Amino acid sequence: MSTGRNLLIASVVLNVFLAGALAGGAVWIKRGKPAQGYSLEAAGGRLPDQQRTLFRKALREVRQESREIIRDGQQARREAADLLRQPVLDTAALAAALERARNADVTVRTRLEQRIIAFAAAGSAEDRSLLAEGLSRRAGPQPSTPPKKSP
């Protein structure tokens, strides 16, 4: 009887685990990749294959050209993390490290956006429309604005 009971418990646990995995998989399929976040590269996901390849290549080139800036930003974040671990916080050094990281991020983001602008300018209206859809999709639903109150 003890073996049968143990098998029953193991079966119930396994079934609950599988049901959770199936439910999680269904949500993942319905919503897309979880915690994907905003990605400029993902905005080009619905472009035709050839254009999508060119789009991703253009953005990859920007990242390669910006490798040093990206490394500087990563190093600044590591420095900020190290400063936060210190027993006495040097707020000026922390602020400077975070500013360097932010500046690196903004520089790379600006370069990516400039390349997207150049790509869009050279593309067709249909491709621009697909990019617009991708950006809108990544931006999330538009918040509803409450009606303006008249005085």
Side-chain angles (χ1 to χ4, degrees):
M1 182 68 181
S2 175
T3 304
R5 183 175 179 178
N6 288 340
L7 286 174
L8 179 64
I9 291 171
S11 175
V12 168
V13 169
L14 181 61
N15 284 324
V16 168
F17 173 76
L18 289 175
L22 287 173
V27 169
W28 183 79
I29 289 171
K30 184 175 181 180
R31 291 188 184 168
K33 296 178 184 174
Q36 186 169 319
Y38 179 79
S39 167
L40 289 174
E41 187 170 339
R46 291 195 176 170
L47 289 169
D49 288 342
Q50 183 179 9
Q51 291 303 97
R52 185 174 55 244
T53 300
L54 292 173
F55 182 74
R56 289 180 176 164
K57 181 181 177 192
L59 298 185
R60 191 171 31 254
E61 287 172 358
V62 170
R63 286 190 295 272
Q64 288 172 349
E65 294 164 1
S66 303
R67 270 192 306 243
E68 193 60 37
I69 296 168
I70 292 169
R71 282 191 207 116
D72 290 346
Q74 292 168 340
Q75 179 60 34
R77 278 186 281 285
R78 282 191 290 273
E79 289 173 18
D82 290 342
L83 287 165
L84 286 168
R85 290 185 187 101
Q86 299 302 314
V88 176
L89 181 62
D90 182 348
T91 57
L94 177 60
L98 291 173
E99 183 178 6
R100 286 194 320 274
R102 181 176 53 253
N103 289 340
D105 292 346
V106 168
T107 299
V108 173
R109 171 80 183 215
T110 300
R111 289 180 177 186
L112 286 167
E113 289 172 351
Q114 289 169 343
R115 189 66 62 94
I116 290 171
I117 291 167
F119 182 87
S124 68
E126 183 179 323
D127 289 346
R128 288 193 306 274
S129 178
L130 291 171
L131 280 173
E133 286 177 27
L135 286 173
S136 296
R137 192 174 57 251
R138 297 292 176 222
Q142 187 169 351
S144 60
T145 56
K148 292 184 179 181
K149 295 180 183 177
S150 55

